[in-house]
Amino acid sequence: MSEAVTDQHWALWDWPFFEPRHHELAKAVTAWAQAEHHKAEIADFSEKCRAIVASLGAADFLKYLIPDEGAPFDVRSLCLIREALTYEEALFDAMFTMQGIGTLAIQNYGTPEQKQRYLPRCRSGEAVAAFALTEPDGGSDVAATTTTAERVAGGWVLNGAKTLISNAGFADHYLVIARTGEAPGSRGLSVFLVDADTPGLECSDPIEFIAEHPAASMTFTDCRIPADALIGEAGQGFKVAMGAFDIFRPSVGAAGVGLARRAMGEALKRARARELFGKKMGELQGVQMGLADMASDIDTAALTVYRAAWVHDVRGDATPYHACMAKLVASEAAGRVVDRAVQLCGGAGVTRGNLVEKLYREARPMRIYEGASEVQKLVVGRHLIAGKMRG
């Protein structure tokens, strides 16, 4: 295997977006991810996922998702971690990320008791978190949520259904978005903490995707939860929930960069080794131009992602414009890069078991989850019309 594929450290990590601590973090995560591949394979998928979370906790990487009380959220570190993990294995990234998405509302709006009960175990990797938002008929339209939470003596009763919920079936707790009815649409939603063993909560068999990812559907049938399960205020659920996406959207783009870089490495390996029409593929002008397109996509995506992370960390700008732009540009770029890698690899690129074929399947969902590309375009467009875009 060539140095381009085995050596993750690339020039952009040394750019002024980062501090020395970020360089060291990138090296540490790379070393962990490469070492994790050599561990014995666990047959049960749920156990495998939990083992990854436990290992991330033992390596102390989950502290970047669940920082100390009052510590700032370092989006540059989050993006570097996701890029490095996805370069090696998309499942590593998925298990890392859900620990943050499934706890950020607790960090931002939880009571001291909620924080003490849930956050330490999630930070150590002992407990697995999940976020139950998507519904069978809702898709990207969060305001169309139909799962209800009815206030009763001593608590709430949940009824409804969720689908495509990452970690469903083996998570220890779920952040559940439900309609409490304070106002129409998104203003009538609330967020609840629901333990996995709560009566009335049931998970389906795992959903099979085009790429390996743990998820299932969930149903709530007269699922009774205590009054202190509410996170924040009733009716403020949209704000509570969307705060997680504003933080994590740039990091989706970072995952796309990591995946695209791995595809580029495989394409270069092919171009350097494969002979075609009496010469190395890499000597053909068409191949060289295709590789240049891939490189320009990767650099553009990376710069957009780390601009968004830097704007958040250094300027303190948490407006959605840069976050949505990063997710949009990088996820779309990853799709194009991997598609070109498949084309350069020919039949091998569409053969099951080939790494490029695996990357192709892993790249496609990035344009859908945590807000489809069309949603990102709407947010960006609205900010442009309103004059809220900052450089």
Side-chain angles (χ1 to χ4, degrees):
M1 188 175 289
S2 71
E3 183 180 351
V5 176
T6 59
D7 182 8
Q8 268 217 55
H9 195 85
W10 68 306
L12 192 136
W13 286 352
D14 291 327
W15 280 40
F17 290 120
F18 309 112
E19 302 166 22
R21 61 188 175 88
H22 293 117
H23 305 159
E24 295 305 312
L25 174 61
K27 293 176 185 177
V29 176
T30 297
W32 176 90
Q34 291 174 345
E36 195 72 12
H37 275 304
H38 299 296
K39 292 186 176 181
E41 191 71 18
I42 299 174
D44 183 86
F45 189 47
S46 296
E47 291 182 9
K48 176 182 177 180
C49 291
R50 291 191 67 95
I52 292 170
V53 173
S55 182
L56 286 164
D60 211 22
F61 295 139
L62 297 181
K63 70 180 181 183
Y64 294 98
L65 299 169
I66 309 171
D68 293 332
E69 183 78 22
F73 206 94
D74 187 350
V75 179
R76 286 172 294 172
S77 290
L78 174 61
C79 288
L80 282 171
I81 292 171
R82 293 197 66 178
E83 181 187 336
L85 291 177
T86 306
Y87 183 96
E88 289 294 337
E89 175 58 63
L91 184 62
F92 295 164
D93 169 65
M95 299 316 303
F96 170 78
T97 306
M98 284 312 304
Q99 287 296 96
I101 293 177
T103 58
L104 191 59
I106 307 172
Q107 297 177 59
N108 289 342
Y109 297 96
T111 64
E113 292 76 18
Q114 289 170 335
K115 292 177 181 180
Q116 182 57 40
R117 180 178 176 186
Y118 292 95
L119 296 183
R121 295 180 69 241
C122 288
R123 177 168 163 155
S124 70
E126 179 184 354
V128 173
F131 185 82
L133 172 64
T134 304
E135 298 195 349
D137 298 320
S140 299
D141 187 3
V142 178
T145 295
T146 59
T147 297
T148 60
E150 180 184 0
R151 195 188 295 266
V152 296
W156 304 81
V157 174
L158 294 171
N159 282 285
K162 302 287 184 179
T163 192
L164 305 173
I165 306 305
S166 296
N167 295 351
F170 63 87
D172 293 280
H173 80 260
Y174 301 89
L175 299 184
V176 179
I177 313 301
R179 182 164 300 285
T180 44
E182 288 76 15
S186 62
R187 293 178 296 168
L189 303 176
S190 301
V191 181
F192 298 91
L193 267 165
V194 183
D195 292 330
D197 59 358
T198 304
L201 186 163
E202 292 188 6
C203 295
S204 71
D205 291 334
I207 297 171
E208 293 191 10
F209 297 100
I210 60 173
E212 186 179 53
H213 182 82
S217 296
M218 304 173 62
T219 58
F220 301 92
T221 306
D222 294 331
C223 180
R224 191 180 185 101
I225 54 178
D228 61 6
L230 176 68
I231 299 179
E233 298 179 13
Q236 298 297 308
F238 186 82
K239 179 179 73 173
V240 172
M242 290 303 103
F245 292 116
D246 288 340
I247 288 289
F248 282 93
R249 274 174 178 154
S251 72
V252 179
V257 170
L259 189 145
R261 286 203 301 109
R262 188 61 184 267
M264 178 76 169
E266 292 297 307
L268 284 170
K269 186 169 65 170
R270 175 84 168 186
R272 290 164 177 158
R274 177 81 166 175
E275 291 196 3
L276 198 63
F277 305 118
K279 59 177 68 176
K280 297 291 186 182
M281 278 185 67
E283 297 177 28
L284 300 175
Q285 288 186 346
V287 172
Q288 291 172 1
M289 288 188 286
L291 291 169
D293 286 339
M294 295 167 75
S296 64
D297 263 334
I298 292 171
D299 278 8
T300 300
L303 289 167
T304 306
V305 165
Y306 289 112
R307 177 188 68 172
W310 181 88
V311 164
H312 176 278
D313 292 347
V314 177
R315 283 191 176 176
D317 185 348
T319 57
Y321 176 86
H322 292 298
C324 291
M325 182 66 82
K327 203 269 186 185
L328 171 65
V329 170
S331 63
E332 293 286 340
R336 291 191 298 269
V337 170
V338 178
D339 187 74
R340 291 191 185 104
V342 170
Q343 196 72 13
L344 285 172
C345 290
V350 290
T351 301
R352 180 73 72 166
N354 183 281
L355 176 57
V356 171
E357 182 271 341
K358 177 175 178 285
L359 296 173
Y360 188 77
R361 288 184 285 109
E362 290 171 343
R364 187 60 185 88
M366 290 180 171
R367 291 149 58 189
I368 297 173
Y369 66 76
E370 292 188 39
S373 290
E374 291 78 7
V375 173
Q376 310 310 315
K377 290 179 181 180
L378 285 173
V379 175
V380 168
R382 287 169 183 166
H383 275 71
L384 291 171
I385 293 296
K388 294 181 180 179
M389 190 273 284
R390 289 183 61 185

